[in-house]
Amino acid sequence: LQKSFGKVTAVAGLSFRVEAGTVLGLLGPNGAGKTTTVRMLATLLPLDGGRASVAGFDVRTQADMVRQSIGLAGQSAAVDENLTGRENLVMFARLYHLARKVAIARAGELIERLGLAELADRPARTYSGGERRRLDIAASLVANPPVLFLDEPTSGLDPRGRVALWDIIAELASQGTTVLLTTQYLEEADRVADLIVVIDRGTVAASGTPDELKDALG
């Protein structure tokens, strides 16, 4: 993958593969190209060069099919602060053209799954950072996508919130969801990722399982 913004090269020939049903951790500092990569794979940014497929669909030529196959939780929550958590999830489900009864049932299922039951009927503006993050991830799961992109999902969370979210990610992967997770935290990549790709300045600096990288680098 290649992507530039004017004279600034954000992604410079980045290549990797994520096996279905696994978690890939895209690890790197701010400015490494992680978010740009996710936005290209999610069809939100055009590719300047290279090619990519998501769930078997070409990002350039089959963008609609890619969008139907993915969930995306970006760095900032995409929920409506004036709606309750439940209302937000029903709204997202309706945007995916689920019938109202199905949307309500799906919202209830996700509320239980992500531990939001006590918060579900409160306005989202009253949620803490960790609670809002869980709601945002619930929204990305409304259509039960086979592929989930999480862009620095634990950024700004306290240690307890981070651990809770790691458990959710592990559960999703165990149920067959393919997860691409971007993070700045080595501990996070070590904890949740089956494979880690370390990137810096838009290129791969190292890749392997957590154990392989620790054995090689100490």
Side-chain angles (χ1 to χ4, degrees):
L1 295 177
Q2 298 176 6
K3 185 66 183 178
S4 297
F5 299 96
K7 295 181 179 180
V8 178
T9 300
V11 177
L14 183 65
S15 296
F16 58 85
R17 177 184 177 89
V18 190
E19 297 294 336
T22 66
V23 180
L24 181 134
L26 206 57
L27 175 66
N30 278 333
K34 303 186 302 295
T35 296
T36 299
T37 298
V38 167
R39 289 176 63 81
M40 285 192 287
L41 294 176
T43 75
L44 297 175
L45 279 176
L47 281 63
D48 287 349
R51 63 183 180 84
S53 64
V54 176
F57 300 109
D58 186 275
V59 169
R60 288 181 190 271
T61 63
Q62 297 173 295
D64 287 346
M65 298 303 297
V66 170
R67 286 193 285 269
Q68 291 178 38
S69 304
I70 65 172
L72 169 64
Q75 292 186 31
S76 56
V79 298
D80 187 322
E81 293 193 347
N82 294 314
L83 299 180
T84 67
R86 190 183 308 275
E87 289 168 341
N88 265 288
L89 295 179
V90 170
M91 176 186 71
F92 276 101
R94 296 290 284 154
L95 289 172
Y96 277 108
H97 306 296
L98 298 184
R100 182 163 182 79
K101 284 186 178 180
V102 177
I104 292 171
R106 181 63 175 155
E109 176 188 334
L110 289 168
I111 285 166
E112 292 299 325
R113 187 175 181 185
L114 277 88
L116 294 166
E118 294 183 2
L119 318 167
D121 298 308
R122 280 171 31 196
R125 66 175 178 272
T126 68
Y127 286 24
S128 69
E131 292 164 351
R132 188 175 304 221
R133 212 71 183 102
R134 277 186 282 154
L135 178 60
D136 202 33
I137 291 174
S140 72
L141 294 170
V142 158
N144 199 25
V147 178
L148 180 63
F149 295 118
L150 301 176
D151 192 11
E152 300 200 17
T154 63
S155 178
L157 297 189
D158 60 26
R160 183 179 178 183
R162 289 173 66 192
V163 171
L165 202 47
W166 292 344
D167 290 342
I168 291 168
I169 293 165
E171 179 189 351
L172 291 171
S174 72
Q175 295 173 352
T177 304
T178 304
V179 180
L180 190 152
L181 166 86
T182 74
T183 182
Q184 300 180 49
Y185 306 120
L186 181 58
E187 177 192 9
E188 181 162 274
D190 187 23
R191 173 73 176 266
V192 302
D194 299 297
L195 184 73
I196 297 173
V197 174
V198 183
I199 68 170
D200 187 34
R201 299 181 184 179
T203 61
V204 175
S207 65
T209 67
D211 286 343
E212 287 171 346
L213 290 177
K214 285 185 287 188
D215 288 343
L217 303 175

